Amino acid sequence: MQTPTEEVFDSISSAFHSWNATSQNDVSSQDSVVHCVSPNVIKVNQSDRADLKISVKIFLENYNIEDLKSAISEVMKHLDINLVDSVILTLPPLSNEEKFNLEKVKPLWNELENFVHEGKFVTIGVSDLDTPELAELYQWTEVKPSVNQVNIESCCVMPPELIAFAKEHDIQLLTHNDSKVLLPDSMLQQILEPAIATLENWKIMWIVRYSVVVKCRGIIQNKGYLMCTKKNP
């Protein structure tokens, strides 16, 4: 069974190589941004929409609201949808010296709240916040997080204080096994190598994982990844 990192690598690699084989562009000199989309992406049949649950998890590399908007726009465009049932935001990885900073998160969360108010998102949630961090976010927000995903590798047993807080505030605790860095730079360079000479100049801006599930049967109808990578000036 593949790890999430192996899964996203295979998916994005296939998409990029397929695009590169048919593209007339010289990526290294013409483009500063490349979007890679899973080759098996299937637009949602609107006649089936009521029977489907669409979930999206966004992995941001920077606290950049334009990156968040871009990720949301791209996944909704490629799936041809105007409503997402569940959105999970994964914040940029922190170094050992860094700590959770609500002031950095606020603009991103405000944007997610706007999508809820516009009727484009049903619920919004977060990933990998401990109890104090989750409490700080919860107390500030207007639209409360409905989910907090917890990494099963770093937390074999849910902390009792996190369980208590989530229960009190009706927050669902889910587990995941995504790596702290979903797609390392070395793997990105391996993907881009056939088309790009100056690999070190390219960085991931965001990755999105989406899934479309048939509600009554629990069957995954469609699942895949989107990624945006950008060349530094």
Side-chain angles (χ1 to χ4, degrees), residues 6-233:
E6 291 170 339
E7 188 177 75
V8 69
F9 174 81
D10 286 349
S11 177
I12 296 301
S13 179
S14 176
F16 181 78
H17 292 165
S18 176
W19 172 83
N20 185 47
T22 58
S23 175
Q24 299 302 314
N25 292 329
D26 177 357
V27 182
S28 61
S29 61
Q30 299 294 332
D31 295 316
S32 59
V33 178
V34 172
H35 289 103
C36 294
V37 182
S38 293
N40 60 340
V41 62
I42 302 172
K43 292 186 182 298
V44 172
N45 188 330
Q46 295 306 315
S47 63
D48 298 333
R49 182 62 182 89
D51 299 322
L52 303 174
K53 179 179 180 180
I54 301 176
S55 300
V56 168
K57 186 172 183 179
I58 302 170
F59 302 83
L60 287 181
E61 290 296 317
N62 300 283
Y63 290 90
N64 187 313
I65 193 169
E66 294 305 319
D67 286 347
L68 177 61
K69 289 179 180 180
S70 170
I72 294 168
S73 174
E74 288 294 320
V75 71
M76 296 185 79
K77 178 181 74 175
H78 285 285
L79 291 178
D80 191 22
I81 55 175
N82 54 24
L83 176 68
V84 179
D85 298 284
S86 173
V87 175
I88 302 294
L89 177 64
T90 296
L91 298 171
L94 298 176
S95 67
N96 293 332
E97 296 78 24
E98 291 181 298
K99 294 183 179 180
F100 175 79
N101 187 333
L102 182 60
E103 293 305 312
K104 287 185 176 182
V105 179
K106 285 181 178 180
L108 302 176
W109 195 264
N110 279 333
E111 188 62 27
L112 296 182
E113 290 181 327
N114 290 338
F115 278 91
V116 174
H117 294 320
E118 293 170 2
K120 295 180 179 179
F121 294 168
V122 178
T123 64
I124 51 180
V126 287
S127 182
D128 299 318
L129 296 192
D130 61 23
T131 308
E133 294 166 349
L134 184 60
E136 188 177 2
L137 176 66
Y138 184 92
Q139 290 162 8
W140 168 78
T141 55
E142 178 185 351
V143 179
K144 306 300 181 183
S146 63
V147 171
N148 181 38
Q149 286 191 331
V150 180
N151 192 305
I152 56 176
E153 293 184 358
S154 62
C155 179
C156 298
V157 179
M158 292 280 188
E161 63 274 14
L162 183 59
I163 294 174
F165 182 86
K167 183 176 181 180
E168 180 182 357
H169 298 285
D170 196 25
I171 300 173
Q172 188 177 12
L173 295 178
L174 302 176
T175 58
H176 73 88
N177 63 338
D178 297 317
S179 301
K180 184 177 180 181
V181 177
L182 188 60
L183 190 68
D185 286 343
S186 59
M187 285 188 164
L188 172 65
Q189 292 175 4
Q190 190 176 340
I191 292 171
L192 301 180
E193 188 173 12
I196 296 176
T198 54
L199 297 173
E200 65 277 4
N201 292 341
W202 289 79
K203 300 296 179 184
I204 295 171
M205 298 294 103
W206 51 260
I207 295 175
V208 168
R209 178 169 61 227
Y210 64 85
S211 63
V212 181
V213 176
V214 182
K215 291 179 183 177
C216 61
R217 301 168 64 187
I219 296 175
I220 298 177
Q221 185 187 83
N222 188 11
K223 177 184 177 182
Y225 293 88
L226 289 78
M227 182 188 77
C228 175
T229 181
K230 183 176 181 180
K231 180 169 68 174
N232 292 331

